[in-house]
Amino acid sequence: MADVLRRVLALLAVLQTGRAFSGDELAARLDVTPRTLRRDVDRLRGYGYPVETQPGPGGYYRLAAGRAMPPLLLDDDEAIATLLGLATLAAIGDATEGGVDDAATRAYGKVDQYLPKRLRPRAAALRESLETTPTRAPSTSAGTLSTLADAIHHEHVVTFDYTAATGVTSTRRVEPHRQLHLNLRWYLLAFDTGRDDWRVFRTDRITGLRELSLRFTRRPLPAGTGIDYLRQGLAKDRRRVVLTIDAPVTAVADTFTYQDVELAPVAGDRTRAVLSLDSWHWLLPSLAFLDADFTVHEPAEFAAACRRFGARLRQ
């Protein structure tokens, strides 16, 4: 019986890669006869795994998506990575019921509960050693993310009520194209049919979401990527700031953790930093903590303001 279980688990591990395999290929990989392979496939189906079969020339075996999620087969590193990912996600948000962070907390408990006996000591050590700092961020509904994903995949128009930063609520009808995640926020990039233009919406401000049966034709994105377009919008009232800092990239990255910044190493263990700011004052706290010399290359007025500030400190 142990040999049968090992065979079935090995078969499941191969099929969970998502590929389609011919019967001969699977039999060779698992070192079994075609008859044994067919029996093990039937066993997997009996356990609830929807294995598709295409007979004849060009035939294949493939693990399809079922209506219910069957047990997953994870190796040790995958299981640990799953727990770490869920713990990290659970710490970001405000624990709103139905939020992604709330779902991650519940999923962590389920994955942890069904770990194999040999992996439980390692997982217990991980739990004892791990602390995650709660990060206040808007909690986004897992259901909203899923509905938008379906609408994007099927190219369906959606409608929803949207509350802007000013507190004004409006009803929108859009063609959804991308879901974006930047700086602990979820966004939707969509073509707003009422405004006849592209718009970016904060997902946590969307309510009353409905996916319609109406199809739309996918449009070219308004920028190279959705993230590029989002950054353009966030930076429209900001200035491009370029500076060289006499510190390594790792130290500068730690300093600018909550800034959308591009970093590149330069000679002499220094770092070139490019970011968008609406005021030179935002540079000072991070650079003060870094305690390193720096040169502001652009804009010129930011460089002049920093020199004047430094002169005042020396007086």
Side-chain angles (χ1 to χ4, degrees), residues 15-258:
L15 291 176
Q16 281 188 334
T17 61
R19 275 188 52 202
F21 297 88
S22 68
D24 291 340
E25 185 180 3
L26 276 179
R29 276 182 174 237
L30 302 171
D31 193 23
V32 297
T33 66
R35 182 179 180 184
T36 299
L37 174 64
R38 289 192 294 272
R39 288 179 175 174
D40 289 344
V41 167
D42 288 339
R43 290 188 177 97
L44 275 183
R45 288 171 175 153
Y47 297 150
Y49 291 91
V51 182
E52 290 183 345
T53 305
Q54 176 66 49
Y60 60 82
Y61 291 94
R62 180 175 62 192
L63 189 63
R67 286 180 295 179
M69 181 178 175
L72 294 176
L73 180 65
L74 302 175
D75 64 26
D76 290 9
D77 289 343
E78 290 170 343
I80 294 299
T82 300
L83 289 174
L84 285 172
L86 291 171
T88 302
L89 185 57
I92 300 174
D94 54 14
T96 300
E97 185 177 352
V100 174
D101 48 321
D102 178 55
T105 300
R106 291 183 278 108
Y108 184 100
K110 292 180 180 179
V111 173
D112 185 50
Q113 180 180 359
Y114 291 105
L115 288 175
K117 183 181 295 186
R118 60 181 169 75
L119 191 56
R120 286 175 185 167
R122 189 176 176 189
L126 176 67
R127 285 196 304 274
E128 293 173 1
S129 66
L130 179 65
E131 289 188 11
T132 54
T133 303
T135 303
R136 299 296 298 180
S139 188
T140 301
S141 164
T144 297
L145 294 175
S146 296
T147 299
L148 290 173
D150 287 340
I152 292 170
H153 176 72
H154 294 107
E155 299 178 352
H156 284 171
V157 172
V158 298
T159 63
F160 52 81
D161 294 327
Y162 187 70
T163 303
T166 59
V168 176
T169 299
S170 58
T171 299
R172 304 297 185 99
R173 183 186 181 98
V174 307
E175 302 169 358
H177 280 69
R178 290 285 191 279
Q179 295 195 82
L180 314 173
H181 189 261
L182 181 66
N183 296 336
L184 306 182
R185 303 291 190 272
W186 284 98
Y187 300 87
L188 169 67
L189 172 62
F191 189 87
D192 191 322
T193 59
R195 274 73 174 175
D196 194 31
D197 199 2
W198 291 93
R199 291 290 189 271
V200 174
F201 303 95
R202 276 262 300 266
T203 310
D204 58 286
R205 295 175 180 166
I206 291 175
T207 57
L209 176 64
R210 290 177 56 231
E211 179 182 357
L212 308 181
S213 58
L214 179 64
R215 297 281 305 269
F216 66 88
T217 301
R218 197 172 297 275
R219 303 170 186 264
L221 295 181
T225 67
I227 292 292
D228 289 341
Y229 187 74
L230 172 59
R231 282 175 167 154
Q232 290 172 14
L234 293 175
K236 65 181 180 180
D237 296 323
R238 300 179 182 181
R239 303 291 302 278
R240 182 175 186 264
V241 182
V242 181
L243 61 157
T244 300
I245 305 169
D246 294 348
V249 169
T250 51
V252 177
D254 287 342
T255 299
F256 288 104
T257 300
Y258 298 106

